[in-house]
Amino acid sequence: MQLRYSFRLYPSAGQRSALARALGCARVVFNDALRVREEARAAGLGFVTSAELSKNLTAAKKTPERAWLGEVSSVVLQQSLRDLDAAYRNFFDGLKGKRPRMGAPRFKSKRDNRQSLRFTANAAWRITVGGKLRLPKIGDVPVKWSRTLPSAPSTVTVVKDSAGRYFASFVVETDPAADLDHMPATDAVVGVDLGLTHFAVLSDGTKVDSPQFLRRAEKKLKKAQQTLSRKEKGSSNRNKARHKVARAHARVTDARREFHHRLSTRLIRENQAIAVEDLCVKGLARTRLAKSVHDAGWSAFVTMLEYKAARYGRQFHRIDRFEPTSQVCSVCGVKDGPKPLNVRAWTCGACGAVLDRDINAAVNVAKAAGLAATACGAQVRRAPVPAQRSEAGTHPKQPTRLVREQAGIPGL
């Protein structure tokens, strides 16, 4: 099973300059290769292969215009070409229906919100005995190790976000049997109804309030944005103000992600099977509730539930979005039609049961998944789990030789 571990990096001023140089070189190589393929397509020529692009890169290093590409690790530049190949492959697979459609590769900008570069084992990167990350032509970068790595990684991806923070991302292989010891089997099952007033309502009657992280931070965000708008374009003060706005938004994002992780882990630990409704988030995001829908982050939460269920041997069910969970009485099963959103409780005309709208929907979600009859004590077969955090530039590869001197990783 592959899992991704991300750790915060704290590079010095010189190391930040070296990282900026490496990110810029990787961006230029990506754009140059994309331009070559686009020009060949416009001229009616064949698709330029990766081997030809690699030869062009080697030749470009010998020219005065691109001689500075030799100042960074060559592995970073080659991985940038692999990123372009992956972008084209995903685009063509979308056209063939093998995956959801996505746009054609686009040119990168130094103003992109997220930039990344990848070091493979060939770059001879390693983790020092002191716990620092040694990167070629960059130096030993301090790392904040929040947890231990379960095994020695072969690649590391350095990511810079819009707030100017740096992260080291490792994709490692883990032993699935070891995860089962942390989550013993249980007979409990639960249906989850997601909403805005309450972030989640469980079929056992538990209601989890919506934290509304963005709403609570709107005052600070508004003030920071107003300060940014008053700065002169192109000035250093405007750049500082822009980073303050980005850091404010990053704090909101981090708080929301922490809340999702805590709640999803709790549900996985306490229940053997979980059912959720497949909400049309894109459609809801086009309504007047768009800000609240994005603030809730339902898609990210459901994705966490799905990969954690597969990791720890739990059952996960998605209920069709057209299932009338709010129209059916969970006691007698009579469907009495749709109800406006202001009706939060009603009495069933058939059996006389007094129903809470959200709890009734959560119970119906569990029943639609068949949990009430079959999930108790069920033995669940583990499914393949991808890395849980999507990241441009990380691709599956054949196992390579282990990174030298990995014994310095804390906990290994």
Side-chain angles (χ1 to χ4, degrees):
M1 181 182 300
Q2 285 188 340
L3 293 177
R4 188 183 307 280
Y5 290 80
S6 294
F7 304 93
R8 180 77 181 271
L9 297 179
Y10 293 91
S12 62
Q15 291 169 346
R16 286 196 298 269
S17 299
L19 286 170
R21 187 183 306 113
L23 289 170
C25 291
R27 181 176 63 250
V28 168
V29 169
F30 183 94
N31 291 342
D32 286 349
L34 177 57
R35 187 177 296 107
V36 169
R37 285 182 171 173
E38 288 298 313
E39 290 177 353
R41 182 185 64 85
L45 303 178
F47 187 77
V48 182
T49 63
S50 301
E52 294 176 358
L53 293 178
S54 182
K55 292 180 181 179
N56 293 342
L57 173 60
T58 303
K61 290 183 180 180
K62 301 177 181 179
T63 62
E65 295 81 6
R66 292 288 189 265
W68 39 267
L69 292 176
E71 299 177 2
V72 302
S73 173
S74 59
V75 174
V76 172
L77 306 182
Q78 291 295 332
Q79 294 302 311
S80 187
L81 294 180
R82 290 194 61 197
D83 293 344
L84 180 62
D85 290 338
Y88 270 104
R89 184 166 55 252
N90 294 336
F91 171 64
F92 291 137
D93 288 346
L95 296 179
K96 297 176 183 177
K98 297 181 180 179
R99 56 167 297 152
R101 285 206 172 194
M102 60 186 308
R106 297 181 299 179
F107 291 99
K108 293 185 177 182
S109 170
K110 64 178 181 181
R111 296 179 178 85
D112 289 342
N113 291 334
R114 185 178 179 279
Q115 304 178 48
S116 64
L117 52 90
R118 187 171 60 259
F119 297 89
T120 62
N122 296 332
W125 70 271
R126 65 186 181 93
I127 299 175
T128 64
V129 178
K132 294 185 177 181
L133 181 62
R134 179 166 295 175
L135 301 175
K137 297 188 178 182
I138 293 176
D140 296 348
V141 184
V143 185
K144 181 65 175 180
W145 298 103
S146 56
R147 48 188 167 176
T148 59
L149 290 174
S151 61
S154 60
T155 62
V156 58
T157 302
V158 179
V159 181
K160 180 184 178 183
D161 64 4
S162 59
R165 302 178 301 178
Y166 293 88
F167 296 90
S169 178
F170 305 91
V171 176
V172 298
E173 296 286 343
T174 60
D175 184 10
D179 295 329
L180 294 177
D181 299 335
H182 300 288
M183 296 285 183
T186 178
D187 294 334
V189 297
V190 68
V192 182
D193 179 65
L194 301 176
L196 295 178
T197 304
H198 294 92
F199 177 79
V201 178
L202 310 184
S203 56
D204 60 3
T206 303
K207 294 186 177 182
V208 181
D209 291 334
S210 180
Q212 297 183 344
F213 294 106
L214 181 60
R215 295 286 186 182
R216 286 158 46 187
E218 274 185 329
K219 188 174 181 180
K220 291 183 178 179
L221 292 172
K222 179 180 178 181
K223 184 177 180 180
Q225 189 65 49
Q226 287 176 342
T227 303
L228 171 63
S229 65
R230 296 189 183 103
K231 303 301 180 183
E232 183 180 355
K233 292 186 178 180
S235 64
S236 298
N237 286 335
R238 183 179 179 85
N239 192 40
K240 295 177 183 178
R242 183 180 60 82
H243 277 91
K244 287 185 178 180
V245 174
R247 285 195 296 269
H249 280 284
R251 284 192 291 268
V252 173
T253 302
D254 293 343
R256 184 187 298 112
R257 185 186 301 113
E258 177 69 12
F259 169 74
H260 288 165
H261 271 297
R262 288 181 179 272
L263 180 57
S264 59
T265 301
R266 193 188 90 188
L267 294 177
I268 292 296
R269 181 184 294 112
E270 297 176 352
N271 300 278
Q272 185 67 26
I274 298 176
V276 297
E277 189 176 5
D278 185 18
L279 298 174
C280 182
V281 178
K282 288 184 178 180
L284 293 172
R286 290 194 292 265
T287 66
R288 59 185 178 86
L289 301 175
K291 183 181 291 187
S292 298
V293 170
H294 287 304
D295 192 11
W298 294 326
S299 297
F301 174 72
V302 172
T303 300
M304 290 181 184
L305 277 178
E306 187 173 12
Y307 87 77
K308 289 180 181 181
R311 177 182 180 185
Y312 295 107
R314 303 311 204 210
Q315 279 186 335
F316 178 82
H317 302 273
R318 285 180 185 264
I319 305 305
D320 188 80
R321 65 186 61 172
F322 299 108
E323 189 74 23
T325 56
S326 299
Q327 304 178 25
V328 178
C329 174
S330 59
V331 178
C332 63
V334 173
K335 181 179 179 181
D336 54 1
K339 304 167 186 64
L341 291 177
N342 61 343
V343 177
R344 310 312 303 173
W346 76 93
T347 302
C348 178
C351 63
V354 179
L355 304 172
D356 180 278
R357 181 190 186 100
D358 298 328
I359 298 178
N360 179 74
V363 174
N364 286 330
V365 167
K367 287 185 176 182
L371 300 186
T374 61
C376 295
Q379 296 297 323
V380 181
R381 178 175 296 178
R382 186 180 301 276
V385 181
Q388 68 269 28
R389 182 180 171 194
S390 60
E391 175 177 313
T394 299
H395 315 291
K397 57 178 293 184
Q398 296 297 326
T400 59
R401 60 182 178 85
L402 292 178
V403 180
R404 297 190 298 272
E405 300 181 31
Q406 288 292 345
I409 300 177
L412 291 183

